[in-house]
Amino acid sequence: MSTTQSERLRGLLEPLVTDRQLDLEEIEVSRAGRRTVLRVVIDSDDGVELDAVADVSRAISQKLDETDAMGEGEYLLEVSSPGADRPLTEHRHFVRATGRLVKFRLHEGGDLVARVLGVDGEGLDVEVPGVKGRKATTRRVEFPEIAKARVEIEFNRKDKKEEEEA
């Protein structure tokens, strides 16, 4: 997808998404045979429910039908929320990961797996789990130190709602 088309699509679609108190995370245009596939990823601080995805999909489809943004050929529109393995790249991604276990690849080398305790403008406060009976420790990680970050999937951890009900 050309930068011009990407910028045009973002300019066209972002207001539709933000009007619904959602964030437009990603736009991707690719080819699938004779068709063009437009993938739109949306998110919010509280996650995205299926009804919201359907609503945004209808609004985007209507807007694309009113314009020539996708050209003359057939296209397939896919609207979804980001997957659990999405890289954390924006400040808001780290805020949304508060309380979650995150694997960091640091510029200085090495990996760090820690739970995000808090986020501010400069970085994160994290809790590094203790190993072999040792207590967990807290640490500060500044944004410039982070080369990559991704939420680690935890299958046996209770979520906040379960903890409050217990």
Side-chain angles (χ1 to χ4, degrees), residues 105-159:
R105 166 89 19 102
L106 304 176
H107 284 294
E108 68 188 28
D111 292 337
L112 170 68
V113 177
R115 190 165 312 282
V116 177
L117 300 175
V119 182
D120 60 32
E122 287 78 44
L124 306 97
D125 292 316
V126 299
E127 179 182 72
V128 181
V131 180
K132 296 184 181 176
R134 293 186 184 155
K135 291 180 88 174
T137 57
T138 57
R139 175 178 169 177
R140 178 77 179 169
V141 180
E142 302 292 331
F143 288 123
E145 295 177 63
I146 302 170
K148 291 182 181 178
R150 191 177 303 266
V151 170
E152 290 282 284
I153 305 300
E154 296 180 86
F155 292 105
N156 59 352
R157 183 166 195 264
K158 291 182 179 181
D159 67 15

Side-chain angles (χ1 to χ4, degrees), residues 12-166:
L12 186 67
L13 304 180
E14 196 154 30
L16 297 174
V17 175
T18 57
D19 284 351
R20 290 159 174 82
Q21 286 73 52
L22 299 168
D23 296 314
L24 178 59
E25 293 291 345
E26 184 180 333
I27 295 176
E28 177 188 327
V29 176
S30 60
R31 299 289 301 170
R34 293 179 292 155
R35 278 193 250 173
T36 300
V37 178
L38 172 59
R39 289 183 182 89
V40 178
V41 178
I42 59 174
D43 202 4
S44 80
D45 290 344
D46 300 319
V48 181
E49 294 186 6
L50 191 55
D51 289 343
V53 172
D55 179 48
V56 169
S57 183
R58 282 189 295 274
I60 289 174
S61 181
Q62 182 178 352
K63 182 59 93 174
L64 292 175
D65 289 347
E66 294 170 359
T67 67
D68 65 345
M70 291 302 295
E72 297 294 319
E74 291 181 40
Y75 70 90
L76 176 65
L77 173 63
E78 295 179 2
V79 179
S80 66
S81 61
D85 62 344
R86 170 205 49 207
L88 306 177
T89 57
E90 303 283 334
H91 182 271
R92 67 178 178 264
H93 298 163
F94 290 99
V95 171
R96 291 174 186 159
T98 300
R100 308 279 309 267
L101 198 62
V102 173
K103 181 176 184 178
F104 298 94
R105 166 89 19 102
L106 304 176
H107 284 294
E108 68 188 28
D111 292 337
L112 170 68
V113 177
R115 190 165 312 282
V116 177
L117 300 175
V119 182
D120 60 32
E122 287 78 44
L124 306 97
D125 292 316
V126 299
E127 179 182 72
V128 181
V131 180
K132 296 184 181 176
R134 293 186 184 155
K135 291 180 88 174
T137 57
T138 57
R139 175 178 169 177
R140 178 77 179 169
V141 180
E142 302 292 331
F143 288 123
E145 295 177 63
I146 302 170
K148 291 182 181 178
R150 191 177 303 266
V151 170
E152 290 282 284
I153 305 300
E154 296 180 86
F155 292 105
N156 59 352
R157 183 166 195 264
K158 291 182 179 181
D159 67 15
K160 289 179 184 175
K161 288 180 184 175
E162 288 176 349
E163 288 175 2
E164 289 170 3
E165 292 171 1

